[in-house]
Amino acid sequence: MRGGRAPVILLGGGVSDRPRPFRSSKPRPPPSPQILEAALLLSLLWMPALLPVASRLLLLPRALLSMASGSPPSQPPPASSSGYVPGSVSAAFVTCPNEKVAKEIARAVVEKRLAACVNLIPQITSIYEWKGKIEEDNEVLMMIKTQSSLVPALTDFVRSVHPYEVAEVIALPVEQGNSPYLHWVRQVTESVSDSSTVLP
């Protein structure tokens, strides 16, 4: 230490005895053990949420290199010994005007093996802008589990039977979950993913 100043602990874990800018004339007391414990707890709680983002960032150089070379990016390796490839199953969401329409569409996509399972979530309220006006409707939300490769066929089918002028069909890839369930989703929908087209 120079001149009797306390060293400054850097976020990266290093120590510096350089003065901090905008330092007040009064010395700041060290943080209490409770504050340090709270900071540690928060960092541990946020760590799992940041891991998927960090793992995707690690793939970025490979993706950029493949784009520059013109070759398609390779598939990421399986997440674990389960053999599940992250993102190979998706959860698709569709809103319907009522339970009758939702049940009809749900039954049809399961029968056609475009989905392994559909959950119906009743009594949701949707607020949206449509043709220049703010609308509010009670709807039923369908949560559809399928293979990611089937999302385009699922979307086409839903659009062909849905009563809305513009049907909501959005899908999110499943990065991880219960391996037996994810394998079951793939198994139930496997015969459709092998065929080239699905007709309504």
Side-chain angles (χ1 to χ4, degrees):
M1 286 195 325
R2 279 186 255 148
R5 271 188 239 136
V8 177
I9 299 174
L10 302 176
L11 287 178
V15 176
S16 170
D17 57 355
R18 292 183 307 166
R20 287 184 273 178
F22 307 109
R23 193 169 172 187
S24 72
S25 60
K26 294 182 184 179
R28 179 182 289 178
S32 70
Q34 292 84 5
I35 290 176
L36 291 174
E37 288 174 7
L40 178 62
L41 179 62
L42 284 174
S43 66
L44 291 175
L45 290 174
W46 275 99
M47 188 61 68
L50 296 176
L51 286 177
V53 174
S55 66
R56 289 203 182 262
L57 287 176
L58 293 174
L59 297 176
L60 187 59
R62 188 178 352 168
L64 291 173
L65 181 63
S66 67
M67 286 181 356
S69 68
S71 63
S74 60
Q75 282 288 333
S80 67
S81 62
S82 71
Y84 176 71
V85 176
S88 61
V89 168
S90 285
F93 299 92
V94 176
T95 51
C96 293
N98 56 52
E99 195 169 326
K100 180 180 184 287
V101 170
K103 281 184 178 180
E104 288 172 359
I105 294 173
R107 185 167 299 281
V109 297
V110 171
E111 285 174 352
K112 293 179 178 298
R113 294 186 173 274
L114 290 171
C117 175
V118 180
N119 302 112
L120 302 182
I121 304 166
Q123 300 176 346
I124 65 164
T125 301
S126 296
I127 300 171
Y128 56 96
E129 187 271 331
W130 181 249
K131 296 185 178 179
K133 292 179 8 185
I134 303 297
E135 302 285 344
E136 182 174 327
D137 286 316
N138 291 320
E139 294 181 299
V140 175
L141 179 64
M142 301 171 63
M143 187 170 66
I144 304 168
K145 276 75 75 185
T146 188
Q147 288 190 59
S148 297
S149 62
L150 291 176
V151 170
L154 173 70
T155 302
D156 289 344
F157 176 77
V158 169
R159 289 178 60 205
S160 73
V161 298
H162 203 286
Y164 287 169
E165 185 178 327
V166 177
E168 174 187 358
V169 183
I170 57 174
L172 301 171
V174 176
E175 293 298 317
Q176 55 187 319
N178 180 18
S179 289
Y181 181 83
L182 298 171
H183 286 292
W184 171 78
V185 170
R186 291 185 55 80
Q187 178 186 357
V188 167
T189 57
E190 199 65 49
S191 62
V192 175
S193 67
D194 292 340
S195 64
S196 59
T197 58
V198 178
L199 299 174

